[in-house]
Amino acid sequence: MWDLGGSSARWWGRVRRDPVLVSPLLLTLLLGVLGVLTPPEVAIARLLPAAPALAAALWRVVPTLVLGLTCLLGVAVYAVTASEHSLLFTAGAIAAVTAAAAYASHLRLQREYTLTEVRTVADATQKVLLRPMPRRVGPLEIASLYL
């Protein structure tokens, strides 16, 4: 369902270790329920663009887009069925934030990939240049630690 870079089993394993990963989904559900239950004067639905923005910091591009489009569709359907046409402006905001969030997610993933490559090269270079010290020199035992 929300594949964030691997199989569903791996994703659920990540969620168990870091439950913050589901916060965009929980925020969407909370704001959606509150938006339906509160009177129109309380514009809770205007906070829905925050969900795809939060997703961009935690999820990959496609799940971020899916969440944003779900929010957009939900607000648009509710605006038309409840004759709350002012919510169509919120739908526009959700669309804009979702597009920006997807791009931000893409940039974040590129930077994470580059950082991983740089760390891999640095680790390999360190292993070549900083050879392990011998454990013994004659009768002396040596303990060493590279920082």
Side-chain angles (χ1 to χ4, degrees):
M1 182 172 120
W2 292 97
D3 186 10
L4 305 178
S7 70
S8 295
R10 275 195 327 193
W11 187 78
W12 284 112
R14 287 185 200 141
V15 168
R16 278 189 221 107
R17 283 190 314 268
D18 191 7
V20 172
L21 287 174
V22 295
S23 59
L25 188 58
L26 294 176
L27 179 64
T28 302
L29 293 173
L30 176 69
L31 292 175
V33 168
L34 288 175
V36 171
L37 296 178
T38 56
E41 299 83 37
V42 182
I44 296 289
R46 290 189 182 157
L47 297 174
L48 270 173
L54 178 60
L58 301 170
W59 295 355
R60 293 184 177 271
V61 176
V62 172
T64 300
L65 284 171
V66 168
L67 181 70
L69 292 175
T70 302
C71 291
L72 175 64
L73 183 63
V75 167
V77 167
Y78 182 76
V80 171
T81 58
S83 296
E84 290 289 331
H85 299 293
S86 64
L87 284 177
L88 293 177
F89 291 108
T90 302
I94 292 170
V97 170
T98 298
Y103 183 65
S105 177
H106 171 71
L107 290 178
R108 178 184 52 81
L109 290 170
Q110 280 185 329
R111 289 180 182 141
E112 286 176 2
Y113 178 75
T114 301
L115 181 61
T116 301
E117 284 185 331
V118 168
R119 283 184 177 168
T120 302
V121 170
D123 287 344
T125 303
Q126 184 177 3
K127 286 178 183 174
V128 168
L129 295 177
L130 301 175
R131 300 253 180 219
M133 295 184 65
R135 294 189 184 266
R136 283 189 159 282
V137 174
L140 299 174
E141 282 189 37
I142 299 175
S144 63
L145 172 67
Y146 286 122
L147 295 176

